[in-house]
Amino acid sequence: MNQSGRSGAKILNLYSDTIPAFKRSLYLPENVEYDIINGDGAREFLKVENGKLLSPGSMRYDMLVLTPGRFMKLETLRAVKRLVEEGAAVCGSSIGKYETLTGGDSAKAEWEKLNAELFAGGEKKIVKIGKGKSTRTIPRLKPARRKA
């Protein structure tokens, strides 16, 4: 956090769609700041402006990082794809399996399709979708600079 009261975070971590959400590491370099959002926040509040994720508090983030091994609701996966189409950069990998009966077979099929589109079944490192991209690896990051 700099003196103006604004976070120096460039990364927004989409943590989980499950309750309770237990802590998992993102394996980021030391001193790399990030903020956390849950599925509801990603679905309801995030926008993309000039290739940056924009939160209601006017915070701007370079990348949305999905916590590895987390369940994601169909609605959240739709929102992630929308954000990418609008120009956001998302880092994550194939989410695993559909862990709910909500929506039946058609919801499961749509979830699997979105998962494959966003992460190319793990076959590609970068997937371009609309104005944005999905990547499996976090680019080299430098610690956030603190303004005095």
Side-chain angles (χ1 to χ4, degrees):
M1 178 101 41
N2 61 35
Q3 280 188 327
S4 66
R6 302 189 64 82
S7 171
K10 300 285 185 185
I11 294 175
L12 185 60
N13 174 217
L14 176 50
Y15 192 66
S16 181
D17 251 340
T18 58
I19 299 173
F22 298 103
K23 181 105 174 105
R24 260 208 191 154
S25 176
L26 284 180
Y27 306 107
L28 294 174
E30 280 188 47
N31 300 323
V32 171
E33 295 181 27
Y34 63 94
D35 290 335
I36 297 173
I37 193 167
N38 65 10
D40 288 335
R43 290 189 304 271
E44 303 297 325
F45 302 114
L46 286 182
K47 297 177 185 174
V48 178
E49 189 176 280
N50 298 321
K52 306 279 187 195
L53 292 156
L54 180 66
S55 73
S58 297
M59 292 299 305
R60 294 182 186 281
Y61 302 93
D62 293 337
M63 179 174 279
L64 180 67
V65 177
L66 311 180
T67 300
R70 291 291 182 194
F71 169 70
M72 198 173 294
K73 293 178 182 176
L74 174 59
E75 297 84 7
T76 304
L77 205 52
R78 285 178 187 145
V80 169
K81 183 175 181 197
R82 173 186 54 80
L83 293 168
V84 173
E85 288 174 334
E86 293 173 0
V90 173
C91 178
S93 58
S94 189
I95 299 171
K97 64 180 184 173
Y98 191 64
E99 297 179 358
T100 181
L101 298 176
T102 304
D105 290 339
S106 63
K108 181 179 179 181
E110 182 182 356
W111 186 91
E112 289 172 346
K113 181 182 178 212
L114 286 170
N115 193 15
E117 285 177 29
L118 281 167
F119 308 110
E123 295 176 13
K124 294 181 180 179
K125 287 187 179 180
I126 298 175
V127 179
K128 299 275 291 167
I129 301 173
K131 296 178 183 176
K133 64 183 175 184
S134 171
T135 178
R136 289 188 302 160
T137 57
I138 298 173
R140 290 189 191 270
L141 300 169
K142 295 179 182 175
R145 292 188 181 166
R146 298 180 187 272
K147 295 180 183 176

